[in-house]
Amino acid sequence: SEINPWQLKMQPLELVDKYIGSKIYIVMKSDNEIVGTLLEFDDFVNMVLADVTEFAITPEGRRITKLDQILLYGYNITMLVPDGKGPEV
């Protein structure tokens, strides 16, 4: 029989843990979008990412910033997309 994904008993932190070392796409409360490799996270979903690209909307248009590493405060994260590619450039 087919497994219904809603029947899987996985906690949110267990799901995030599966993606350590993988690219993830993150949407922040500020509407900034971030793509990077997940290195670490804690119980509050504060995250350390490497090889980061940040997409921000400014009055002048879209700004793209490349960063080696970043620490994200978990409270400001709206959505995580494992293996996400990020916005179209």
Side-chain angles (χ1 to χ4, degrees), residues 1 5-7 11-13 15 24-27 30 32-33 38-39 41 43-44 47 51 59 61 71 80:
S1 76
W6 297 108
Q7 293 173 329
Q11 296 298 314
L13 293 178
L15 182 61
I24 59 170
Y25 167 51
I26 299 172
V27 177
S30 64
N32 287 5
E33 300 172 32
L38 178 61
L39 298 181
F41 72 97
D43 289 348
F44 302 101
M47 297 185 164
D51 302 321
L71 170 66
L80 290 172

Side-chain angles (χ1 to χ4, degrees), residues 44-61:
F44 302 101
V45 196
N46 299 314
M47 297 185 164
V48 178
L49 302 175
D51 302 321
V52 176
T53 304
E54 178 184 22
F55 302 87
I57 303 300
T58 68
E60 296 79 35

Side-chain angles (χ1 to χ4, degrees), residues 27-85:
V27 177
M28 305 296 288
K29 284 184 180 177
S30 64
D31 288 333
N32 287 5
E33 300 172 32
I34 295 171
V35 177
T37 301
L38 178 61
L39 298 181
E40 298 179 50
F41 72 97
D42 65 12
D43 289 348
F44 302 101
V45 196
N46 299 314
M47 297 185 164
V48 178
L49 302 175
D51 302 321
V52 176
T53 304
E54 178 184 22
F55 302 87
I57 303 300
T58 68
E60 296 79 35
R62 178 180 278 181
R63 183 185 72 224
I64 299 173
T65 306
K66 300 276 189 177
L67 302 162
D68 289 333
Q69 217 172 53
I70 192 170
L71 170 66
L72 296 180
Y73 181 47
Y75 179 77
N76 289 321
I77 295 171
T78 301
M79 180 175 63
L80 290 172
V81 182
D83 302 321
K85 307 282 187 276

